[in-house]
Coordinates of all heavy atoms in Angstrom, one line a residue:
M1 N -61.0 45.5 -133.4 CA -60.0 45.6 -132.2 C -60.8 45.2 -131.0 O -61.7 45.9 -130.6 CB -59.5 47.0 -132.1 CG -58.5 47.3 -133.3 SD -57.1 48.3 -132.7 CE -57.8 49.9 -132.7
S2 N -60.3 44.2 -130.3 CA -61.0 43.7 -129.1 C -60.5 44.4 -127.8 O -61.2 44.3 -126.8 CB -60.8 42.2 -129.0 OG -59.4 41.9 -128.9
D3 N -59.4 45.1 -127.9 CA -58.9 45.7 -126.7 C -59.3 47.2 -126.6 O -58.8 47.9 -125.8 CB -57.4 45.6 -126.7 CG -56.7 46.2 -127.9 OD1 -57.4 46.5 -128.8 OD2 -55.5 46.4 -127.9
K4 N -60.3 47.6 -127.4 CA -60.8 48.9 -127.3 C -61.5 49.1 -126.0 O -62.3 48.3 -125.5 CB -61.8 49.2 -128.4 CG -61.2 50.1 -129.5 CD -62.3 50.6 -130.4 CE -61.8 51.6 -131.4 NZ -62.8 52.2 -132.1
P5 N -61.4 50.3 -125.4 CA -62.1 50.6 -124.2 C -63.6 50.7 -124.5 O -64.0 50.9 -125.6 CB -61.6 52.0 -123.7 CG -60.3 52.2 -124.5 CD -60.5 51.4 -125.8
A6 N -64.4 50.6 -123.4 CA -65.9 50.7 -123.5 C -66.3 52.1 -123.8 O -65.6 53.0 -123.6 CB -66.5 50.1 -122.3
V7 N -67.5 52.2 -124.3 CA -68.1 53.5 -124.6 C -69.4 53.6 -123.8 O -70.2 52.7 -123.7 CB -68.5 53.6 -126.1 CG1 -69.1 55.0 -126.4 CG2 -67.2 53.4 -126.9
T8 N -69.6 54.8 -123.2 CA -70.8 55.1 -122.4 C -72.0 55.2 -123.4 O -71.8 55.4 -124.6 CB -70.7 56.4 -121.6 OG1 -70.5 57.5 -122.5 CG2 -69.5 56.3 -120.7
P9 N -73.2 55.1 -122.9 CA -74.4 55.2 -123.8 C -74.5 56.5 -124.5 O -75.0 56.6 -125.6 CB -75.6 55.1 -122.8 CG -75.0 54.3 -121.7 CD -73.6 54.7 -121.5
D10 N -73.9 57.6 -124.0 CA -73.9 58.9 -124.7 C -72.7 59.1 -125.6 O -72.4 60.2 -126.1 CB -74.1 60.0 -123.7 CG -73.0 60.0 -122.6 OD1 -72.3 59.0 -122.5 OD2 -72.9 61.1 -121.9
G11 N -71.9 58.0 -125.8 CA -70.9 58.0 -126.8 C -69.5 58.4 -126.4 O -68.6 58.6 -127.2
Y12 N -69.3 58.5 -125.1 CA -67.9 58.9 -124.6 C -67.1 57.6 -124.2 O -67.7 56.6 -123.7 CB -68.0 59.8 -123.4 CG -68.5 61.2 -123.8 CD1 -69.8 61.6 -123.8 CD2 -67.5 62.1 -124.3 CE1 -70.2 62.9 -124.2 CE2 -67.9 63.4 -124.7 CZ -69.2 63.7 -124.6 OH -69.6 65.0 -125.0
C13 N -65.8 57.7 -124.4 CA -64.9 56.7 -124.0 C -64.8 56.6 -122.5 O -64.8 57.6 -121.8 CB -63.6 57.0 -124.6 SG -62.3 55.7 -124.4
T14 N -64.8 55.4 -121.9 CA -64.7 55.2 -120.5 C -63.3 55.2 -120.0 O -63.1 55.3 -118.8 CB -65.4 53.9 -120.1 OG1 -64.8 52.8 -120.7 CG2 -66.9 53.9 -120.4
N15 N -62.4 55.1 -120.9 CA -61.0 55.0 -120.4 C -60.4 56.3 -120.1 O -60.6 57.3 -120.8 CB -60.1 54.3 -121.5 CG -58.7 54.2 -121.0 OD1 -58.4 53.6 -120.1 ND2 -57.8 54.9 -121.7
K16 N -59.6 56.4 -119.0 CA -59.0 57.6 -118.6 C -57.5 57.5 -118.5 O -56.8 58.4 -118.1 CB -59.5 58.1 -117.2 CG -61.0 58.7 -117.3 CD -61.5 59.1 -116.0 CE -62.9 59.7 -116.2 NZ -63.6 59.8 -114.9
E17 N -57.0 56.3 -118.7 CA -55.6 56.0 -118.6 C -54.9 56.3 -119.9 O -55.1 55.6 -120.9 CB -55.4 54.5 -118.2 CG -55.8 54.2 -116.8 CD -54.8 54.7 -115.7 OE1 -53.6 54.7 -116.0 OE2 -55.3 55.1 -114.7
P18 N -54.0 57.3 -119.9 CA -53.2 57.5 -121.1 C -52.2 56.4 -121.4 O -51.8 55.7 -120.5 CB -52.4 58.8 -120.9 CG -52.4 58.9 -119.4 CD -53.6 58.2 -118.8
I19 N -51.9 56.1 -122.7 CA -50.9 55.1 -123.0 C -49.6 55.7 -122.6 O -49.2 56.8 -123.0 CB -51.0 54.8 -124.5 CG1 -52.3 54.3 -124.9 CG2 -49.9 53.8 -124.9 CD1 -52.4 54.1 -126.4
F20 N -48.9 54.9 -121.8 CA -47.5 55.3 -121.4 C -46.6 55.5 -122.6 O -46.6 54.7 -123.5 CB -46.9 54.3 -120.4 CG -45.7 54.7 -119.8 CD1 -45.7 55.6 -118.8 CD2 -44.4 54.3 -120.3 CE1 -44.5 56.1 -118.2 CE2 -43.2 54.7 -119.7 CZ -43.3 55.6 -118.7
G21 N -46.0 56.6 -122.6 CA -45.0 56.9 -123.7 C -45.6 57.8 -124.8 O -44.9 58.3 -125.6
T22 N -46.9 58.1 -124.7 CA -47.5 58.9 -125.7 C -47.7 60.4 -125.2 O -48.2 61.2 -125.9 CB -48.9 58.4 -126.2 OG1 -49.8 58.4 -125.1 CG2 -48.8 57.0 -126.7
I23 N -47.4 60.6 -123.9 CA -47.7 61.9 -123.3 C -46.7 62.9 -123.9 O -45.5 62.6 -123.9 CB -47.6 61.8 -121.8 CG1 -48.6 60.9 -121.2 CG2 -47.7 63.2 -121.2 CD1 -48.5 60.6 -119.7
R24 N -47.2 64.0 -124.4 CA -46.3 65.1 -124.9 C -46.9 66.4 -124.4 O -48.1 66.5 -124.1 CB -46.2 65.0 -126.4 CG -47.6 65.3 -127.1 CD -47.4 65.0 -128.6 NE -48.7 65.3 -129.3 CZ -49.0 66.4 -129.8 NH1 -48.1 67.4 -129.8 NH2 -50.2 66.6 -130.4
T25 N -46.0 67.4 -124.4 CA -46.4 68.7 -124.0 C -46.4 69.6 -125.3 O -45.5 69.6 -126.0 CB -45.5 69.3 -123.0 OG1 -45.5 68.4 -121.8 CG2 -46.0 70.7 -122.5
I26 N -47.5 70.4 -125.5 CA -47.6 71.2 -126.6 C -46.7 72.4 -126.4 O -46.7 73.1 -125.4 CB -49.0 71.7 -126.8 CG1 -49.9 70.5 -127.2 CG2 -49.1 72.8 -127.9 CD1 -51.4 70.8 -127.4
N27 N -45.9 72.7 -127.5 CA -45.0 73.9 -127.5 C -45.6 74.9 -128.5 O -45.5 74.7 -129.7 CB -43.6 73.4 -127.9 CG -42.6 74.6 -127.8 OD1 -43.0 75.7 -127.7 ND2 -41.3 74.3 -127.8
A28 N -46.2 75.9 -127.9 CA -46.9 76.9 -128.8 C -45.9 77.6 -129.7 O -46.3 78.1 -130.8 CB -47.7 77.8 -128.0
S29 N -44.7 77.7 -129.3 CA -43.7 78.5 -130.1 C -43.5 77.7 -131.4 O -43.1 78.3 -132.4 CB -42.4 78.7 -129.4 OG -41.8 77.5 -129.0
A30 N -43.7 76.4 -131.4 CA -43.5 75.6 -132.7 C -44.8 75.7 -133.5 O -44.7 75.5 -134.8 CB -43.2 74.2 -132.3
T31 N -45.9 75.9 -133.0 CA -47.2 75.9 -133.7 C -47.7 77.3 -134.1 O -48.5 77.4 -134.9 CB -48.3 75.2 -133.0 OG1 -48.4 75.8 -131.7 CG2 -48.0 73.7 -132.8
G32 N -47.1 78.3 -133.5 CA -47.5 79.7 -133.8 C -48.5 80.3 -132.8 O -49.1 79.6 -132.0
P33 N -48.7 81.6 -132.8 CA -49.5 82.3 -131.8 C -50.9 81.9 -131.8 O -51.7 82.0 -130.8 CB -49.3 83.8 -132.2 CG -48.8 83.8 -133.6 CD -48.0 82.5 -133.8
K34 N -51.4 81.3 -132.9 CA -52.8 80.9 -133.0 C -53.1 79.8 -132.0 O -54.3 79.7 -131.6 CB -53.0 80.4 -134.5 CG -54.5 80.1 -134.8 CD -54.6 79.5 -136.2 CE -56.0 79.1 -136.4 NZ -56.1 78.4 -137.7
F35 N -52.1 79.1 -131.6 CA -52.3 78.0 -130.7 C -51.7 78.3 -129.3 O -51.5 77.4 -128.5 CB -51.8 76.7 -131.3 CG -52.4 76.3 -132.5 CD1 -51.8 76.5 -133.7 CD2 -53.7 75.7 -132.5 CE1 -52.4 76.1 -134.9 CE2 -54.3 75.3 -133.7 CZ -53.7 75.5 -134.9
F36 N -51.5 79.5 -129.0 CA -50.8 79.8 -127.8 C -51.6 79.4 -126.6 O -51.1 79.1 -125.5 CB -50.5 81.3 -127.7 CG -49.6 81.7 -126.6 CD1 -48.2 81.4 -126.7 CD2 -50.0 82.2 -125.4 CE1 -47.3 81.6 -125.7 CE2 -49.1 82.5 -124.4 CZ -47.8 82.2 -124.5
H37 N -52.9 79.4 -126.7 CA -53.7 79.0 -125.6 C -53.5 77.5 -125.2 O -53.9 77.1 -124.2 CB -55.2 79.3 -125.8 CG -55.8 78.5 -127.0 ND1 -55.4 78.8 -128.3 CD2 -56.6 77.4 -127.1 CE1 -56.0 77.9 -129.1 NE2 -56.7 77.1 -128.4
L38 N -52.9 76.8 -126.1 CA -52.7 75.4 -125.9 C -51.3 75.1 -125.3 O -50.9 74.0 -124.9 CB -52.7 74.6 -127.2 CG -54.1 74.5 -127.8 CD1 -54.0 73.8 -129.2 CD2 -55.1 73.8 -127.0
H39 N -50.5 76.2 -125.1 CA -49.1 76.1 -124.7 C -49.0 75.4 -123.3 O -49.7 75.8 -122.4 CB -48.5 77.5 -124.7 CG -47.0 77.4 -124.3 ND1 -46.1 76.8 -125.2 CD2 -46.3 77.7 -123.2 CE1 -44.9 76.9 -124.7 NE2 -45.0 77.4 -123.4
G40 N -48.2 74.4 -123.3 CA -47.9 73.8 -122.0 C -48.9 72.7 -121.7 O -48.8 72.0 -120.7
R41 N -49.9 72.6 -122.5 CA -51.0 71.5 -122.3 C -50.4 70.2 -122.6 O -49.7 70.0 -123.6 CB -52.2 71.8 -123.2 CG -53.4 71.0 -122.8 CD -54.6 71.5 -123.5 NE -55.0 72.8 -122.9 CZ -56.1 73.4 -123.2 NH1 -56.9 72.9 -124.1 NH2 -56.4 74.6 -122.7
R42 N -50.7 69.2 -121.8 CA -50.2 67.9 -122.1 C -51.3 67.1 -122.8 O -52.4 67.1 -122.5 CB -49.9 67.2 -120.8 CG -48.6 67.8 -120.1 CD -48.2 67.0 -118.9 NE -49.3 66.9 -117.9 CZ -49.4 66.0 -117.0 NH1 -48.5 65.1 -116.9 NH2 -50.4 66.0 -116.1
M43 N -50.8 66.3 -123.8 CA -51.6 65.5 -124.6 C -51.2 64.1 -124.5 O -50.0 63.8 -124.3 CB -51.5 65.9 -126.1 CG -51.8 67.3 -126.4 SD -53.6 67.7 -126.5 CE -54.1 66.8 -127.9
A44 N -52.1 63.1 -124.7 CA -51.7 61.7 -124.7 C -52.7 60.9 -125.5 O -53.8 61.4 -125.7 CB -51.6 61.2 -123.3
K45 N -52.3 59.7 -125.8 CA -53.2 58.9 -126.6 C -53.9 57.9 -125.7 O -53.4 57.4 -124.7 CB -52.4 58.2 -127.7 CG -52.2 59.0 -128.9 CD -51.7 58.2 -130.1 CE -51.7 59.1 -131.3 NZ -51.0 58.5 -132.4
C46 N -55.2 57.6 -126.1 CA -56.0 56.6 -125.5 C -55.9 55.3 -126.3 O -55.7 55.4 -127.5 CB -57.4 57.2 -125.4 SG -58.6 56.0 -124.7
P47 N -56.1 54.2 -125.7 CA -56.1 52.9 -126.4 C -57.2 52.9 -127.5 O -57.1 52.1 -128.5 CB -56.4 51.9 -125.4 CG -56.0 52.5 -124.1 CD -56.2 53.9 -124.2
C48 N -58.2 53.8 -127.4 CA -59.2 53.8 -128.5 C -58.7 54.5 -129.7 O -59.4 54.4 -130.8 CB -60.5 54.5 -128.0 SG -60.3 56.3 -127.8
G49 N -57.5 55.1 -129.7 CA -57.0 55.7 -130.9 C -57.1 57.2 -130.9 O -56.5 57.9 -131.8
K50 N -57.8 57.8 -129.9 CA -58.0 59.2 -129.9 C -56.8 59.9 -129.1 O -56.4 59.4 -128.1 CB -59.3 59.5 -129.2 CG -59.6 61.0 -129.0 CD -60.2 61.6 -130.2 CE -60.6 63.0 -129.9 NZ -61.2 63.6 -131.2
E51 N -56.4 61.0 -129.5 CA -55.4 61.8 -128.8 C -56.2 63.0 -128.2 O -56.9 63.7 -128.8 CB -54.3 62.3 -129.6 CG -53.2 63.0 -128.8 CD -52.0 63.5 -129.6 OE1 -52.3 64.1 -130.7 OE2 -50.9 63.3 -129.2
T52 N -56.0 63.1 -126.8 CA -56.7 64.2 -126.2 C -55.9 64.8 -125.1 O -54.8 64.3 -124.8 CB -58.1 63.6 -125.6 OG1 -58.9 64.7 -125.1 CG2 -57.8 62.7 -124.4
S53 N -56.3 65.9 -124.5 CA -55.5 66.6 -123.5 C -55.7 65.9 -122.1 O -56.7 65.2 -121.9 CB -55.9 68.0 -123.4 OG -57.3 68.2 -123.2
L54 N -54.7 66.1 -121.3 CA -54.8 65.5 -119.9 C -55.2 66.5 -118.9 O -55.0 67.7 -119.0 CB -53.4 65.1 -119.5 CG -52.8 63.9 -120.3 CD1 -51.3 63.7 -119.8 CD2 -53.6 62.7 -120.2
T55 N -55.9 66.0 -117.9 CA -56.3 66.9 -116.7 C -55.1 67.1 -115.9 O -54.0 66.5 -116.1 CB -57.4 66.2 -115.9 OG1 -56.8 65.0 -115.3 CG2 -58.6 65.8 -116.8
D56 N -55.2 67.9 -114.9 CA -54.1 68.2 -113.9 C -53.7 66.9 -113.2 O -52.6 66.8 -112.7 CB -54.5 69.3 -112.9 CG -54.7 70.6 -113.6 OD1 -54.1 70.8 -114.7 OD2 -55.3 71.5 -113.0
Q57 N -54.7 66.0 -113.1 CA -54.4 64.8 -112.4 C -53.7 63.7 -113.3 O -53.3 62.6 -112.8 CB -55.7 64.1 -111.8 CG -56.3 64.9 -110.7 CD -57.1 66.2 -111.2 OE1 -57.7 66.1 -112.3 NE2 -57.0 67.3 -110.5
G58 N -53.5 64.1 -114.5 CA -52.9 63.1 -115.4 C -53.8 62.1 -116.1 O -53.3 61.2 -116.7
N59 N -55.1 62.4 -115.9 CA -56.0 61.5 -116.6 C -56.4 62.1 -118.0 O -56.4 63.3 -118.2 CB -57.3 61.4 -115.8 CG -57.0 60.6 -114.5 OD1 -56.3 59.6 -114.5 ND2 -57.6 61.0 -113.4
L60 N -56.9 61.2 -118.8 CA -57.4 61.7 -120.1 C -58.7 62.5 -119.9 O -59.5 62.1 -119.1 CB -57.6 60.5 -121.1 CG -56.4 59.8 -121.6 CD1 -56.8 58.5 -122.2 CD2 -55.6 60.6 -122.6
R61 N -58.8 63.6 -120.6 CA -60.1 64.3 -120.6 C -61.2 63.5 -121.3 O -60.9 62.7 -122.1 CB -59.9 65.6 -121.3 CG -60.7 66.8 -120.8 CD -60.2 68.1 -121.4 NE -59.0 68.6 -120.7 CZ -59.0 69.2 -119.6 NH1 -60.1 69.4 -118.9 NH2 -57.8 69.7 -119.1
R62 N -62.4 63.8 -120.9 CA -63.5 63.0 -121.5 C -63.5 63.2 -123.0 O -63.4 64.4 -123.5 CB -64.8 63.5 -120.9 CG -66.0 62.5 -121.0 CD -67.1 62.9 -120.1 NE -67.9 63.9 -120.7 CZ -69.2 63.8 -120.9 NH1 -69.9 62.7 -120.5 NH2 -69.9 64.8 -121.4
H63 N -63.6 62.2 -123.7 CA -63.5 62.3 -125.2 C -64.4 61.2 -125.8 O -64.8 60.2 -125.2 CB -62.1 62.1 -125.6 CG -61.5 60.7 -125.2 ND1 -61.0 60.5 -123.9 CD2 -61.4 59.6 -125.9 CE1 -60.6 59.2 -123.9 NE2 -60.8 58.7 -125.0
K64 N -64.6 61.4 -127.1 CA -65.4 60.4 -127.9 C -64.4 59.6 -128.7 O -63.3 60.1 -129.1 CB -66.4 61.1 -128.8 CG -67.5 61.7 -128.0 CD -68.6 62.1 -128.9 CE -69.8 62.5 -128.1 NZ -71.0 63.0 -128.9
Q65 N -64.7 58.4 -128.9 CA -63.8 57.5 -129.7 C -63.9 57.9 -131.1 O -65.0 58.3 -131.6 CB -64.1 56.1 -129.5 CG -63.9 55.6 -128.0 CD -64.0 54.1 -127.9 OE1 -64.3 53.4 -128.9 NE2 -63.8 53.6 -126.7
P66 N -62.8 57.8 -131.8 CA -62.8 58.1 -133.3 C -63.7 57.1 -134.0 O -63.8 55.9 -133.6 CB -61.4 58.0 -133.7 CG -60.7 57.2 -132.6 CD -61.5 57.4 -131.4
Q67 N -64.4 57.5 -135.0 CA -65.3 56.7 -135.8 C -64.4 55.8 -136.7 O -63.5 56.3 -137.3 CB -66.3 57.5 -136.6 CG -67.2 58.4 -135.8 CD -68.0 57.6 -134.8 OE1 -68.6 56.6 -135.1 NE2 -68.0 58.0 -133.5
A68 N -64.8 54.5 -136.7 CA -64.0 53.6 -137.5 C -64.3 53.8 -139.0 O -65.3 54.3 -139.4 CB -64.4 52.2 -137.2
Ligands
ZN101 ZN1 -60.5 56.6 -125.5

């Protein structure tokens, strides 16, 4: 895949822009009390293929790209 975001020397993805349309909010009542700490957290996908949580600013949290 040539459109993959770059990776920093320590292995983290440099992209912070979530793919539009992939943003979702976790509903803990659907996943059970075990995941209640995730309730209301927003998740989105990165072009690298990883799904990660969003910061309050709407940027992707620092993450590592999935291994091919
Ligand atoms: Zn990424």
Side-chain angles (χ1 to χ4, degrees):
M1 290 218 278
S2 58
D3 57 347
K4 253 195 172 186
V7 180
T8 61
D10 54 348
Y12 287 95
C13 183
T14 59
N15 180 61
K16 288 179 177 164
E17 290 283 325
I19 301 175
F20 186 77
T22 65
I23 300 173
R24 64 188 180 93
T25 303
I26 294 177
N27 184 347
S29 62
T31 54
K34 188 179 173 189
F35 297 101
F36 192 75
H37 63 286
L38 295 173
H39 185 70
R41 190 166 294 185
R42 289 186 303 157
M43 304 282 293
K45 281 195 171 167
C46 177
C48 73
K50 177 85 175 179
E51 184 178 45
T52 189
S53 57
L54 293 178
T55 65
D56 292 340
Q57 291 77 36
N59 292 321
L60 291 168
R61 213 168 280 283
R62 201 165 82 124
H63 60 278
K64 291 191 170 177
Q65 294 190 0
Q67 300 301 313

